[in-house]
Amino acid sequence: MGDSVVMVSLYPEFPQSVMSSVASCGEFVFLMDRSGSMSNTRIRSAKDTLLLLLKSLPMGCYFNIYGFGSRYEHIFPKSVEYTQQTMEEALKSVEQIQANLGGTAILEPLKHIYSQPCIPSQPRQLFVFTDGEVGNTKEVIDLVKKNSDSHRCFSFGIGEGASSALINGMAKEGGGHAQFITGTDRMQAKVMQSLRFALQPTVVDFSVTWDLPKEVSVTVLSPPITALFQGQRSLIYAQLTGQSSEAAEGCVTVKYSLAGHPSENQLHFSLRPAEDTGLTVHRLGARTLIRSLELEERESRGQQDGEVKKKLVRLSVQSGVSSSFTAFIAVNKDNSRVIQGPLVRRNIPTPMTQRFGSVLLGHPRMIGSPMEMCSIPDTYGKKEGNLRCGGYAKKAHGGQRLFYRTRCRQEEQTAAADHLNARIALLKQPPRDPFMHLVSLQKASGSWLLDPDLATALGKTSEQVEKIKPRTANSEVWATILALVWLHAFKVDAKDEWEFLAMKAASWIHAQNAPCVSECVESGNVLLGCGIKKEDLGL
């Protein structure tokens, strides 16, 4: 902690000529976790995400979708070309997706994907979504690493229970990027950012060299950088050991190759900071090294005589950065003594949820709690083989018995639960989001059709949309411009999610050589009550 530590921030900008030349190719494979824990909101969000991804893919690429749990399924036997027909077929399958495949066994579907031959001139991009962890993390990561030359892996951890070691390890070894989706994060925005990275060319031959005075040595604290993306910051921490003169300078050089074009950047820096900046950068560097050591210790499984653990603990204590083997403790500031005493247990009451029973569904034999009193015909009490219930029974008026039921015939219980779940799902189903409705209507080419569904998504009637359309305008061009105007006017906060859709739409309009684009934009503004300019739409 007494040495100097430097932090190098890489924020690359690639030439536009290189970026646009490779944006229309690739094989995109989406591997979605469909284990039981992905139910309800997570699987709905996953379906919306797949919808956005399928609508955003460039024409001419290839794609496939896999679902995995205890077993795995795929929509197509092998990746298919992206067309209107294959997109529609995939969307029908996505609509039927459920979290019904059991556990989280990711290794077998990965093996199947890697066994498929790569498509010439279509670089493979693998997107992996999971909300859990697996017992064979190292084996999964090693498999990704073994196939890293043939693809890039973009991983997404959904929820707080997702394994950071699995998600980060797959992305690191696969030369991709890791994302974690927790709390109120929208999965769609983060996934579209990764799609943007996947459409960028791969950076190869990446190297970092240091030019320092001979009395100063450098120790890099960060793991090697395996991927570099435009618009994505990467950090390198290094420790400088040794004394130098007041005016001494160092130089760091970054080299890489992008689509056959070599690049080189140099940065000169003073070895003597202008002022005392404290230990913030030291602790950030220590944290990076601690995470690397934790991964090394986990992979070795303690087989290195505990040397990695000892080094990890020593570094954690020196830097004041917690690790998996250390923890902060409470200290009394007055006497500098560790606070002793047993842990105090505090019980926090949880709110009671309303139990559902016969009132909600009008079902006379619905069990709403473990001990529920319910009235059933006397014939059930006589036929012990039909009811199979236990508990105290007492003769009641009207030829019925009152049972304090403790268990019920299995098939009756299952049928009742299924009926209830179906009703609850129907009641809870939110109205269709206009944005996702509009997205679902876009064709693979990027255009929209002029039909009642589009009018509904825009919040208008078919008569309103038809009445204001310029006379000479093509209906499909008019519809596509309307959709673009609506996105730019009312969904600017979600631009990261629809940016690729809008680019496809603008490219399609350009290809039509339509004569009245300006008139369509003006009429669209009048209809929707906004003031979007033609230039804003990329037209």
Side-chain angles (χ1 to χ4, degrees), residues 399-411:
Q400 295 183 335
R401 291 174 182 266
L402 292 178
F403 282 81
Y404 287 92
R405 293 160 45 145
T406 56
R407 59 185 184 274
C408 176
R409 187 174 54 191
Q410 184 63 39
E411 55 267 29

Side-chain angles (χ1 to χ4, degrees), residues 155-184:
S155 52
F156 303 87
I158 304 170
E160 288 75 8
S163 168
S164 58
L166 177 67
I167 301 303
N168 286 323
M170 292 179 71
K172 176 178 176 290
E173 298 300 344
H177 184 250
Q179 298 265 28
F180 288 89
I181 302 149
T182 59
T184 59

Side-chain angles (χ1 to χ4, degrees), residues 24-28 30 50-65 76 79-91 119 122 439 442-447 500-501 504:
S24 61
C25 63
E27 179 196 4
F28 298 88
F30 307 112
L50 288 174
L51 169 64
L52 265 178
L53 282 167
L54 288 173
K55 295 291 183 176
S56 301
L57 292 179
M59 293 294 287
C61 74
Y62 287 73
F63 77 101
N64 202 355
I65 299 175
F76 304 106
S79 295
V80 296
E81 186 176 355
Y82 179 72
T83 64
Q84 181 67 25
Q85 180 180 347
T86 56
M87 183 193 74
E88 289 179 354
E89 187 176 345
L91 286 175
I119 302 171
Q122 301 286 348
V439 169
Q442 189 182 30
K443 297 172 67 177
S445 61
S447 66
F500 284 116
L501 282 73
K504 285 175 67 174

Side-chain angles (χ1 to χ4, degrees), residues 33 35 37 42 104 130-134 158 161-164 166-167:
D33 189 342
S35 59
S37 57
R42 287 182 180 178
T104 308
T130 182
D131 70 339
E133 57 181 317
V134 295
I158 304 170
S163 168
S164 58
L166 177 67
I167 301 303

Side-chain angles (χ1 to χ4, degrees), residues 228-239:
L228 204 61
F229 300 105
Q230 175 162 289
Q232 178 68 23
R233 188 175 69 162
S234 300
L235 298 176
I236 301 173
Y237 294 95
Q239 178 180 358

Side-chain angles (χ1 to χ4, degrees), residues 481 484-489 492 495 498-499 502-503 506 510 517 521 525 530-539:
I481 289 177
L484 282 177
V485 171
W486 189 90
L487 288 172
H488 282 81
V492 66
K495 187 175 181 180
W498 54 259
E499 186 176 10
M503 289 170 57
H510 278 300
V517 171
V521 174
N525 281 318
C530 50
I532 302 300
K533 297 179 181 178
K534 176 182 173 182
E535 295 74 22
D536 298 335
L537 307 180
L539 302 176

Side-chain angles (χ1 to χ4, degrees), residues 104-108 111 133-142 166 301:
T104 308
I106 195 173
L107 190 62
E108 290 307 313
K111 287 180 179 179
E133 57 181 317
V134 295
N136 54 352
T137 298
K138 185 178 186 304
E139 195 174 351
V140 171
I141 293 175
D142 286 346
L166 177 67
R301 299 177 182 177

Side-chain angles (χ1 to χ4, degrees), residues 9 144 229-230 254 394 406 461 483 522 532-533:
S9 178
V144 174
F229 300 105
Q230 175 162 289
V254 175
K394 181 179 180 181
T406 56
T461 64
E522 291 174 6
I532 302 300
K533 297 179 181 178

